[in-house]
Amino acid sequence: MSERAPQPKTVLLRRGEVHSPADPFATAMVVERGQVAWVGSEGAADAFADGVDEIVDLDGALVAPAFTDAHVHTTSTGLALTGLDLSGAPSLAAALARVRDFAAARPQDKVLLGHGWDASRWPEGRPPRREELDEATGGRPLYLSRIDVHSAVATTALLDVTPGVRTAAGHVDGEPLTRDAHHAVRAAAFAAVTPAQRAEAQRAALAHAVSLGIGSVHECGGPEISSEDDFTDLLRLAAEESGPRVVGYWAEQDVDKARELGALGAAGDLFVDGALGSHTACLHGPYADADHTGAAFLDAAEVAAHVTACTEAGLQAGFHAIGDAAVSAVVEGIRAAAEKTGLARIRAARHRVEHAEMLTPETIAAFAELGLTASVQPAFDALWGGDEGMYAQRLGVERARTLNPFAALLRTGVPLAFGSDSPVTPLDPWGTVRAAAFHRTPGHRVSVRAAFTAHTRGGWRAVGRDDAGVLVPGAPADYAVWRTDELVVQAPDDRVARWSTDPRSGTPGLPDLTPGAGLPVCLRTVVGGRTVFVRPSE
């Protein structure tokens, strides 16, 4: 990525399909001073041809708003892209072989870093044991986070250089590390990453994002996730170099610290609980495969105090909440804050809840009442949903079927912002839209158009911008150009789909995302009128 250009060009794009509510049949668009200046028909485009710096012949390609990934861990994503990724390992034996090969290939690394193991998908049904990892690495320090990043396994050498880890909460000999023990060993592992390695990982992640048509990412940092230097270095790099916009959230109950670091909110992964896969999501009733209800890190009173402080400081608050008990604590706490500050101020602040997987009709209604944004990850359902998936193992089939109720959230008027939680699931925006439209529980499905909106305009609305994420005159010129097949309208209700396809409805089409169909290919990504990615050979 190169330094930002001083002034974006005036560009006419023509002979394509422009996804715009301003004109559902638009085939051309003019971009000027970093904004959309006009959208319309091919015939009218001739009038602009002489007054632009560049003409792009789309040759039938689709122009659509750039995606916003509303929940990303950028440095960890880059390290996964450039390091040891176990998410595709089909078995424990294969994972150990990859660890062995990786250690042999990186003799100079002070600490070996890897991510993505998921024992629930392996035939052995168990995570790697410490002695197996000690053997595979030749006794070197190794940190391997589980796919949900809420537990990890580590070698003896890494535990030995992590003060107090063996007496910390979450350390059980022979089991993956959770809670305080996990946070301690993660901090020790990431402290070995040099600033140069960190910058390399951040550049790799941001370059990968724009290659997928992602124009904005919401970085979810925090003291239990990364470091202050990691967070501020990322925001600085994003401001100085060409790439996606980066909006930062800092997950700490210190409003002044969040503001000092340049965060939009003291939000993101401010943990109320953990994750289902690691048995640390906080539930009202016990897990189906464990005799406890998970872990609670914040209670309703702490939530109320934080939301009140953020609201009075003019910052967004937000929380990581997955289990039904955690979501209840968030709702109870924000209601208490509303009684103190006034409901109107709470709603205007657009506080966020990340993940929000285990919802009930009552908590969904509370989200709508309190003006909360649900920052959700449809790929979680694609990966772990269904009657045979990890959710069903942890919760039983009936409770698992209630998870990620996107349709109910939309029906109730709750704003949705889609993301990946990368590296938990990969940056994959069209795959995310597909996962929401073809949810494993049919009653939770939404139309492709609604899912696309949640992954474009929804991310902008989540940061308080209602004027972006859509290609209309005056909006920021953040868009991507896609090679795709015929555009269609897909909705869970076939009657809606048939009517929307009728030209009289004026509904712009989107790519066919039927499972098994090829996903669109990104040809170009533009942020603020500046091209940040062009597909090689295009």
Side-chain angles (χ1 to χ4, degrees):
M1 292 186 282
S2 60
E3 293 185 1
R4 290 193 186 276
Q7 180 64 43
K9 294 179 179 180
T10 300
V11 179
L12 167 63
L13 301 97
R14 62 187 308 178
R15 287 206 327 116
E17 302 278 353
V18 179
H19 187 86
S20 171
D23 182 348
F25 307 109
T27 61
M29 180 171 78
V30 173
V31 171
E32 186 175 18
R33 296 189 181 92
Q35 295 183 324
V36 177
W38 171 85
V39 293
S41 66
E42 183 61 32
D46 289 333
F48 297 95
D50 292 336
V52 300
D53 301 317
E54 181 183 0
I55 297 176
V56 176
D57 185 343
L58 296 168
D59 192 25
L62 170 68
V63 179
F67 288 102
T68 293
D69 192 310
H71 194 120
V72 174
H73 304 287
T74 305
T75 302
S76 295
T77 296
L79 290 170
L81 288 168
T82 59
L84 175 57
D85 181 3
L86 296 179
S87 60
S91 65
L92 171 60
L96 290 169
R98 292 186 189 188
V99 170
R100 192 173 290 107
D101 292 344
F102 184 74
R106 305 289 288 255
Q108 304 304 318
D109 288 7
K110 289 195 291 184
V111 173
L112 299 165
L113 299 173
H115 167 74
W117 60 269
D118 184 358
S120 72
R121 300 166 66 87
W122 289 343
E124 296 92 342
R126 66 169 179 86
R129 296 192 179 100
R130 191 168 72 245
E131 59 269 22
E132 292 171 327
L133 296 174
D134 288 345
E135 186 278 327
T137 60
R140 296 168 62 192
L142 166 74
Y143 168 82
L144 279 183
S145 52
R146 190 186 181 278
I147 192 168
D148 61 10
V149 201
H150 284 268
S151 59
V153 290
T155 55
T156 302
L158 183 55
L159 295 181
D160 287 344
V161 297
T162 305
V165 67
R166 288 184 170 89
T167 58
H171 179 275
V172 177
D173 197 41
E175 298 292 329
L177 303 163
T178 62
R179 305 182 68 168
D180 293 347
H182 176 221
H183 298 155
V185 80
R186 175 165 57 189
F190 278 81
V193 177
T194 67
Q197 286 175 305
R198 188 166 63 226
E200 177 191 17
Q202 291 171 348
R203 287 190 177 98
L206 297 179
H208 185 55
V210 293
S211 77
L212 298 169
I214 297 170
S216 299
V217 299
H218 298 178
E219 165 67 13
C220 293
E224 295 181 350
I225 300 164
S226 51
S227 69
E228 293 179 16
D229 286 345
D230 179 278
F231 188 76
T232 56
D233 287 352
L234 172 64
L235 296 184
R236 187 181 306 112
L237 183 147
E240 293 174 351
E241 299 188 6
S242 177
R245 303 175 192 264
V246 177
V247 176
Y249 288 98
W250 184 252
E252 189 171 3
Q253 291 172 275
D254 184 338
V255 172
D256 293 334
K257 175 63 70 176
R259 177 176 278 127
E260 174 191 325
L261 295 177
L264 187 69
D269 276 330
L270 184 53
F271 297 120
V272 178
D273 68 344
L276 291 164
S278 293
H279 290 101
T280 51
C282 190
L283 313 181
H284 284 305
Y287 282 86
D289 59 351
D291 60 354
H292 62 83
T293 57
F297 303 131
L298 295 175
D299 61 22
E302 292 168 306
V303 169
H306 184 64
V307 171
T308 299
C310 286
T311 304
E312 292 177 347
L315 289 178
Q316 279 183 295
F319 305 91
H320 163 119
I322 287 179
D324 50 2
V327 173
S328 294
V330 169
V331 166
E332 182 183 343
I334 298 179
R335 275 218 177 102
E339 291 176 6
K340 182 173 182 179
T341 65
L343 179 60
R345 290 183 69 189
I346 294 293
R347 290 179 59 86
R350 303 191 189 190
H351 301 309
R352 298 171 53 145
V353 184
E354 308 298 318
H355 315 308
E357 293 199 79
M358 290 187 72
L359 295 160
T360 64
E362 292 75 23
T363 50
I364 291 171
F367 272 44
E369 173 197 352
L370 298 167
L372 304 180
T373 295
S375 171
V376 294
Q377 295 74 41
F380 287 5
D381 175 73
L383 184 60
W384 296 315
D387 291 356
E388 306 296 327
M390 183 272 287
Y391 289 153
Q393 293 173 28
R394 294 291 184 268
L395 302 172
V397 171
E398 290 308 311
R399 274 195 295 177
R401 286 176 180 168
T402 69
L403 264 60
N404 301 299
F406 305 136
L409 285 162
L410 282 179
R411 281 196 304 269
T412 312
V414 177
L416 297 185
F418 281 177
S420 62
D421 198 9
S422 179
V424 175
T425 62
L427 299 172
D428 179 15
W430 285 114
T432 295
V433 174
R434 171 186 278 170
F438 294 92
H439 197 295
R440 289 178 179 273
T441 303
H444 298 331
R445 293 174 180 172
V446 299
S447 69
V448 166
R449 184 184 182 191
F452 181 78
T453 299
H455 215 352
T456 50
R457 196 170 193 179
W460 282 92
R461 286 173 166 166
V463 298
R465 291 281 301 271
D466 293 329
D467 61 337
V470 61
L471 300 181
V472 297
D478 288 26
Y479 62 90
V481 180
W482 302 93
R483 181 192 300 133
T484 186
D485 294 328
E486 182 183 3
L487 304 182
V488 298
V489 174
Q490 290 178 300
D493 187 331
D494 183 56
R495 294 167 300 173
V496 174
R498 286 200 305 271
W499 163 245
S500 300
T501 308
D502 190 305
R504 292 171 294 174
S505 74
T507 302
L510 284 165
D512 181 0
L513 300 183
T514 303
L519 294 175
V521 174
C522 185
L523 305 179
R524 178 184 296 233
T525 305
V526 176
V527 174
R530 298 183 179 93
T531 298
V532 295
F533 169 77
V534 176
R535 188 173 182 81
S537 80
E538 294 296 336

